Amino acid sequence: MSVFTDLVAGRGQVPVVVVPRERFELDCGARLLVSARPGAPITAVRVHLRGGRSQDAPGKEGTAFLAGTLADQGTDLHDEMGLATLLEPAGGGIGGDASGLSGAIQRDSWKLLLGVLSEVLLGAAYPAGPIKRQQQRILARMEAQAADPHAQAARRFRTLVYGRNWLGRAVSGTVESLSSITPADLRRHRKRHWRPERALIAVCGDVDPEKVRRTLNRLLSSWKKGRPFKASPLRLPKRAVRVDAFCRQREQVHVYLGHLGIKRADPDYAALTVMDHVLGTGPGFTNRITRRLRDELGLAYSVQADIHSSAGMHPGVFRAYIGTSPQHLATAVRGFLREIHLIRDEAVGDEELRVARDFVVGSFALGFERASRRAAFLVASDLHALPDDVLETLPKEIAAVTAEDVQRVANKHLYPDKCCLSVAGPVRKQDLRGLL
């Protein structure tokens, strides 16, 4: 990666990030992206498998989550300790989630990392004993979350926005569904859904792209194709006022307010990023919601709002959150709605816009120092079909955002009269609708 600066509309220097890449199609059918960075101390790898948790069977929600999270518990060749013994001397490690596997290692040992990841990818065995122990640990955490107001407010908010489809459910499923998943279910998921035609592999580090291609062709030569992934159409609820409550006697209420958001490929993404930093995610005390609800009204320490950060292949959410005392619930909700209406109705001031825009542009390159972040970016940019020069053009687009742009996208993408409201604490569901 290299970082250089450019000038945009006379506003000064704009950092531009360059992450080179080479694309290959492996013999097995998987797609490969390699970003060579000479001298980088760490090599990172990300294996994304399309479908993820959308492939969970009814009643088995959480299967994709467990299949990724517990893939490192052993393979046909090595148990968990054996895998760790291979990687740890080289400072390596692997992990997984509902979307696939990832790992990182010292730069000279990248072939070792590819070997271990390939072994897990093709032969994760999900041995009954280790899987049962790890499953019980996860279930214990989930049972604690089932009684946690903050976690429940967040979960219910997603269901209000997305409905009962897989986007509206927790990635890890429920206590009931997770308890029903067996090692055989995990092996079946891997064999059925971890297939090369669904795989996108990103490698970032001090590597030779052609050597990476040859190495993976050898390691994955036995990976057989399966069924192509076909995304099922998503039926999402229309934006509308919907409320839910998780009633618990606590000294604090957790409040989530918002609605369906945008996809990452939305052409307004740059302007919405700036809008977010004016409205609810700006640095320090500068964003409006923090300044108004926290500093002026003293309602909470933790408060924020944004729409751009959750944007993905599917629509994300516009989400405003605050933790406050029960007697301030109505004031907090009114405060959110007031600021949303205000950014739609009035143009942002010059200084306010400059601070937000400069912060986003100035911090842009910092997120790409880590090899793992670059690998994740390569996967995301390919999935979203973003242009290869997006890291060069996006900072310039952000730097060029005007007050008119912010007001336009606020009116287009924010719906203060069609918000969902999820509250956890000493509240009743029937009392919430009146707050909107």
Side-chain angles (χ1 to χ4, degrees), residues 229-295:
F229 171 67
K230 292 183 179 180
S232 300
L234 271 176
R235 296 180 179 178
L236 299 174
K238 293 182 179 180
R239 295 182 183 92
V241 172
R242 291 185 287 272
V243 301
D244 200 0
F246 180 72
C247 186
R248 287 293 187 276
Q249 292 302 314
R250 296 289 191 274
E251 295 182 357
Q252 188 178 43
V253 289
H254 297 276
V255 183
Y256 283 88
L257 177 143
H259 52 69
L260 196 66
I262 63 165
K263 296 181 180 181
R264 172 58 185 87
D266 194 294
D268 291 330
Y269 182 82
L272 286 166
T273 301
V274 175
M275 181 203 76
D276 278 344
H277 283 75
V278 172
L279 180 64
T281 58
F285 308 106
T286 60
N287 75 73
R288 292 178 173 186
I289 283 176
T290 295
R291 186 168 61 244
R292 176 63 177 163
L293 274 66
R294 185 177 77 177
D295 303 336

Side-chain angles (χ1 to χ4, degrees), residues 226-410:
R227 296 178 181 176
F229 171 67
K230 292 183 179 180
S232 300
L234 271 176
R235 296 180 179 178
L236 299 174
K238 293 182 179 180
R239 295 182 183 92
V241 172
R242 291 185 287 272
V243 301
D244 200 0
F246 180 72
C247 186
R248 287 293 187 276
Q249 292 302 314
R250 296 289 191 274
E251 295 182 357
Q252 188 178 43
V253 289
H254 297 276
V255 183
Y256 283 88
L257 177 143
H259 52 69
L260 196 66
I262 63 165
K263 296 181 180 181
R264 172 58 185 87
D266 194 294
D268 291 330
Y269 182 82
L272 286 166
T273 301
V274 175
M275 181 203 76
D276 278 344
H277 283 75
V278 172
L279 180 64
T281 58
F285 308 106
T286 60
N287 75 73
R288 292 178 173 186
I289 283 176
T290 295
R291 186 168 61 244
R292 176 63 177 163
L293 274 66
R294 185 177 77 177
D295 303 336
E296 296 177 10
L297 298 178
L299 300 186
Y301 181 79
S302 177
V303 57
Q304 63 89 31
D306 89 322
I307 193 172
H308 81 280
S309 66
S310 61
M313 290 288 291
H314 303 288
V317 295
F318 168 67
R319 176 178 55 203
Y321 165 78
I322 188 170
T324 189
S325 56
Q327 65 267 29
H328 293 146
L329 172 59
T331 303
V333 173
R334 286 196 300 266
F336 279 143
L337 296 175
R338 174 184 180 275
E339 296 303 332
I340 297 169
H341 277 290
L342 191 62
I343 203 167
R344 285 162 47 99
D345 296 341
E346 299 179 9
V348 175
D350 292 343
E351 180 62 14
E352 196 175 21
L353 176 63
R354 184 194 64 77
V355 170
R357 195 173 51 207
D358 288 355
F359 177 81
V360 178
V361 170
S363 60
F364 184 82
L366 300 179
F368 292 90
E369 287 300 315
R370 297 180 63 183
S372 58
R373 175 67 181 87
R374 295 193 297 275
F377 162 75
L378 289 180
V379 169
S381 64
D382 192 85
L383 291 174
H384 300 315
L386 301 178
D388 284 355
D389 63 350
V390 64
L391 294 182
E392 300 175 45
T393 59
L394 183 57
K396 298 176 183 179
E397 292 175 16
I398 292 169
V401 170
T402 65
E404 292 76 15
D405 292 329
V406 171
Q407 189 171 11
R408 174 183 59 81
V409 298

Side-chain angles (χ1 to χ4, degrees), residues 17 55 74 167 206 225 232 265 271 287 352 354 356 359 367 421 432:
V17 182
Q55 304 299 293
L167 280 175
D206 187 0
K225 291 184 178 181
S232 300
N287 75 73
E352 196 175 21
R354 184 194 64 77
F359 177 81
L421 177 63
L432 296 181

Side-chain angles (χ1 to χ4, degrees), residues 26-73:
L26 298 177
D27 294 343
C28 62
R31 298 203 313 276
L32 171 65
L33 299 171
V34 184
S35 179
R37 189 188 185 194
I42 300 294
T43 295
V45 181
R46 174 69 187 168
V47 182
H48 178 86
L49 297 153
R50 294 189 64 199
R53 64 191 181 102
S54 70
Q55 304 299 293
D56 287 350
K60 297 284 187 178
E61 291 83 5
T63 301
F65 165 75
L66 281 186
T69 304
L70 303 183
D72 64 352
Q73 295 300 294

